[in-house]
CSV table of all heavy atoms in Angstrom, one decimal:
chain,number,residue,atom,x,y,z
A,186,THR,N,8.4,2.1,7.3
A,186,THR,CA,8.4,2.6,5.9
A,186,THR,C,9.5,1.8,5.1
A,186,THR,O,10.4,1.3,5.7
A,186,THR,CB,8.6,4.0,5.8
A,186,THR,OG1,9.9,4.3,6.5
A,186,THR,CG2,7.5,4.8,6.5
A,187,SER,N,9.3,1.9,3.8
A,187,SER,CA,10.2,1.0,3.0
A,187,SER,C,11.6,1.2,3.1
A,187,SER,O,12.5,0.4,2.9
A,187,SER,CB,9.7,1.1,1.5
A,187,SER,OG,9.5,2.4,1.2
A,232,HIS,N,1.7,-4.5,4.3
A,232,HIS,CA,1.9,-3.1,3.8
A,232,HIS,C,0.7,-2.2,4.3
A,232,HIS,O,-0.4,-2.3,3.7
A,232,HIS,CB,2.1,-3.1,2.3
A,232,HIS,CG,2.5,-1.8,1.8
A,232,HIS,ND1,3.7,-1.1,2.2
A,232,HIS,CD2,1.8,-0.9,1.0
A,232,HIS,CE1,3.7,0.1,1.6
A,232,HIS,NE2,2.6,0.2,0.9
A,233,VAL,N,1.0,-1.4,5.3
A,233,VAL,CA,-0.1,-0.5,5.8
A,233,VAL,C,-1.4,-1.2,6.0
A,233,VAL,O,-2.4,-0.8,5.5
A,233,VAL,CB,-0.3,0.8,4.9
A,233,VAL,CG1,-0.6,1.9,5.8
A,233,VAL,CG2,0.9,1.1,4.1
A,302,ILE,N,-6.4,1.4,-7.4
A,302,ILE,CA,-5.0,1.2,-7.8
A,302,ILE,C,-4.2,2.4,-7.2
A,302,ILE,O,-4.6,3.5,-7.4
A,302,ILE,CB,-4.9,1.2,-9.3
A,302,ILE,CG1,-5.8,0.1,-9.9
A,302,ILE,CG2,-3.5,1.0,-9.8
A,302,ILE,CD1,-5.7,-0.1,-11.5
A,303,GLY,N,-3.2,2.0,-6.5
A,303,GLY,CA,-2.5,3.1,-5.8
A,303,GLY,C,-1.1,2.6,-5.4
A,303,GLY,O,-0.7,1.5,-5.7
A,304,GLY,N,-0.5,3.3,-4.5
A,304,GLY,CA,0.9,3.0,-4.1
A,304,GLY,C,1.9,3.5,-5.0
A,304,GLY,O,3.0,3.7,-4.7
A,305,ALA,N,1.6,3.7,-6.3
A,305,ALA,CA,2.4,4.3,-7.3
A,305,ALA,C,1.5,4.8,-8.4
A,305,ALA,O,0.3,4.4,-8.3
A,305,ALA,CB,3.4,3.2,-7.9
A,306,ALA,N,2.0,5.6,-9.2
A,306,ALA,CA,1.1,6.2,-10.2
A,306,ALA,C,0.5,5.1,-11.1
A,306,ALA,O,1.2,4.3,-11.6
A,306,ALA,CB,1.8,7.2,-11.0
A,307,CYS,N,-0.8,5.3,-11.3
A,307,CYS,CA,-1.5,4.3,-12.2
A,307,CYS,C,-1.4,4.9,-13.6
A,307,CYS,O,-2.0,6.0,-13.9
A,307,CYS,CB,-3.0,4.2,-11.8
A,307,CYS,SG,-4.0,3.2,-12.9
A,325,HIS,N,-8.1,5.7,-8.8
A,325,HIS,CA,-6.7,5.9,-8.6
A,325,HIS,C,-6.6,6.5,-7.2
A,325,HIS,O,-7.2,7.5,-6.9
A,325,HIS,CB,-6.2,6.9,-9.7
A,325,HIS,CG,-4.8,7.1,-9.7
A,325,HIS,ND1,-4.1,8.1,-10.4
A,325,HIS,CD2,-3.7,6.4,-9.1
A,325,HIS,CE1,-2.9,8.0,-10.3
A,325,HIS,NE2,-2.6,7.0,-9.4
A,326,GLY,N,-5.8,5.9,-6.4
A,326,GLY,CA,-5.6,6.3,-5.0
A,326,GLY,C,-4.2,6.8,-4.7
A,326,GLY,O,-3.2,6.3,-5.3
A,327,TRP,N,-4.1,7.7,-3.7
A,327,TRP,CA,-2.8,8.1,-3.3
A,327,TRP,C,-2.8,8.0,-1.8
A,327,TRP,O,-3.8,8.4,-1.1
A,327,TRP,CB,-2.5,9.5,-3.8
A,327,TRP,CG,-1.3,10.1,-3.0
A,327,TRP,CD1,0.1,9.9,-3.3
A,327,TRP,CD2,-1.3,11.0,-1.9
A,327,TRP,NE1,0.8,10.6,-2.4
A,327,TRP,CE2,0.0,11.2,-1.5
A,327,TRP,CE3,-2.3,11.5,-1.1
A,327,TRP,CZ2,0.4,12.0,-0.4
A,327,TRP,CZ3,-2.0,12.2,0.0
A,327,TRP,CH2,-0.7,12.5,0.3
A,328,GLY,N,-1.7,7.6,-1.2
A,328,GLY,CA,-1.5,7.6,0.3
A,328,GLY,C,-0.1,7.2,0.6
A,328,GLY,O,0.7,7.1,-0.3
A,329,MET,N,0.1,7.0,1.9
A,329,MET,CA,1.4,6.7,2.4
A,329,MET,C,1.3,5.8,3.7
A,329,MET,O,0.3,5.9,4.4
A,329,MET,CB,2.1,8.0,2.9
A,329,MET,CG,2.3,9.0,1.8
A,329,MET,SD,3.1,10.4,2.6
A,329,MET,CE,4.8,9.9,2.7
A,330,THR,N,2.4,5.2,4.0
A,330,THR,CA,2.4,4.4,5.2
A,330,THR,C,2.1,5.3,6.4
A,330,THR,O,1.4,5.0,7.4
A,330,THR,CB,3.9,3.9,5.4
A,330,THR,OG1,4.2,3.1,4.2
A,330,THR,CG2,4.0,3.0,6.7
A,331,GLU,N,2.6,6.5,6.3
A,331,GLU,CA,2.4,7.5,7.4
A,331,GLU,C,1.0,8.0,7.5
A,331,GLU,O,0.6,8.8,8.4
A,331,GLU,CB,3.4,8.7,7.2
A,331,GLU,CG,4.8,8.4,7.5
A,331,GLU,CD,5.6,8.0,6.2
A,331,GLU,OE1,4.9,7.4,5.3
A,331,GLU,OE2,6.8,8.1,6.2
A,360,GLN,N,-4.7,11.8,-9.0
A,360,GLN,CA,-4.8,11.0,-7.7
A,360,GLN,C,-6.1,11.2,-7.0
A,360,GLN,O,-6.3,10.4,-6.1
A,360,GLN,CB,-3.6,11.1,-6.9
A,360,GLN,CG,-2.3,10.4,-7.3
A,360,GLN,CD,-1.6,10.9,-8.6
A,360,GLN,OE1,-2.0,11.9,-9.1
A,360,GLN,NE2,-0.6,10.1,-9.0
A,420,THR,N,4.8,15.4,2.9
A,420,THR,CA,4.8,14.1,2.3
A,420,THR,C,6.0,13.7,1.5
A,420,THR,O,6.2,12.5,1.2
A,420,THR,CB,3.5,13.9,1.4
A,420,THR,OG1,3.7,14.9,0.3
A,420,THR,CG2,2.2,14.3,2.1
A,422,ASP,N,6.0,14.4,-1.5
A,422,ASP,CA,5.5,14.4,-2.9
A,422,ASP,C,5.3,15.8,-3.3
A,422,ASP,O,5.1,16.7,-2.5
A,422,ASP,CB,4.2,13.6,-2.8
A,422,ASP,CG,4.5,12.2,-2.7
A,422,ASP,OD1,5.3,11.6,-3.3
A,422,ASP,OD2,3.6,11.6,-1.9
A,434,ILE,N,-0.2,14.1,-8.4
A,434,ILE,CA,1.2,14.0,-8.0
A,434,ILE,C,2.1,14.2,-9.2
A,434,ILE,O,1.8,13.4,-10.2
A,434,ILE,CB,1.5,12.6,-7.4
A,434,ILE,CG1,0.6,12.4,-6.1
A,434,ILE,CG2,3.0,12.5,-7.0
A,434,ILE,CD1,0.9,13.1,-4.9
A,437,ARG,N,8.2,13.3,-6.8
A,437,ARG,CA,8.6,13.3,-5.3
A,437,ARG,C,9.7,14.4,-5.2
A,437,ARG,O,10.5,14.5,-6.0
A,437,ARG,CB,9.2,12.0,-5.0
A,437,ARG,CG,8.1,10.9,-5.1
A,437,ARG,CD,8.5,9.7,-4.2
A,437,ARG,NE,7.8,8.6,-4.7
A,437,ARG,CZ,8.4,7.3,-4.7
A,437,ARG,NH1,9.6,7.2,-4.2
A,437,ARG,NH2,7.7,6.3,-5.0
A,452,ILE,N,6.8,11.2,-13.7
A,452,ILE,CA,5.6,10.3,-13.9
A,452,ILE,C,5.0,10.4,-15.3
A,452,ILE,O,4.7,9.4,-16.0
A,452,ILE,CB,4.6,10.6,-12.8
A,452,ILE,CG1,5.2,10.2,-11.4
A,452,ILE,CG2,3.3,9.8,-13.0
A,452,ILE,CD1,4.3,10.6,-10.2
A,526,THR,N,8.8,-3.3,-1.9
A,526,THR,CA,7.4,-3.2,-2.2
A,526,THR,C,7.2,-2.9,-3.7
A,526,THR,O,6.1,-2.6,-4.1
A,526,THR,CB,6.8,-2.1,-1.4
A,526,THR,OG1,7.5,-0.8,-1.6
A,526,THR,CG2,6.8,-2.4,0.1
A,528,LYS,N,8.6,-0.7,-5.7
A,528,LYS,CA,8.8,0.6,-6.2
A,528,LYS,C,10.2,0.7,-6.9
A,528,LYS,O,11.2,0.0,-6.5
A,528,LYS,CB,8.9,1.6,-5.1
A,528,LYS,CG,7.6,2.0,-4.5
A,528,LYS,CD,7.7,3.2,-3.6
A,528,LYS,CE,6.6,3.2,-2.6
A,528,LYS,NZ,5.2,3.3,-3.1
B,1,LIG,P1,4.5,4.0,0.9
B,1,LIG,O1,4.5,4.7,2.2
B,1,LIG,O2,5.5,3.0,0.7
B,1,LIG,O3,3.1,3.6,0.6
B,1,LIG,O4,4.8,5.1,-0.2
B,1,LIG,C1,4.1,6.3,-0.3
B,1,LIG,C2,4.5,7.1,-1.5
B,1,LIG,O5,4.2,6.3,-2.7
B,1,LIG,C3,3.8,8.4,-1.6
B,1,LIG,O6,4.5,9.3,-0.9
B,1,LIG,C4,4.1,8.6,-3.1
B,1,LIG,O7,5.4,9.1,-3.4
B,1,LIG,C5,3.9,7.2,-3.7
B,1,LIG,N1,2.5,7.0,-4.2
B,1,LIG,C6,1.6,6.4,-3.5
B,1,LIG,N2,0.5,6.4,-4.3
B,1,LIG,C7,0.8,7.0,-5.4
B,1,LIG,C8,0.1,7.3,-6.6
B,1,LIG,N3,-1.2,7.0,-6.8
B,1,LIG,N4,0.7,8.0,-7.6
B,1,LIG,C9,2.0,8.4,-7.4
B,1,LIG,N5,2.7,8.1,-6.3
B,1,LIG,C10,2.1,7.4,-5.3
Side-chain angles (χ1 to χ4, degrees):
T186 57
S187 45
H232 185 62
V233 213
I302 303 183
C307 173
H325 187 194
W327 166 85
M329 299 179 76
T330 304
E331 290 88 338
Q360 277 74 4
T420 61
D422 287 321
I434 304 286
R437 298 202 198 146
I452 294 173
T526 54
K528 283 190 206 303

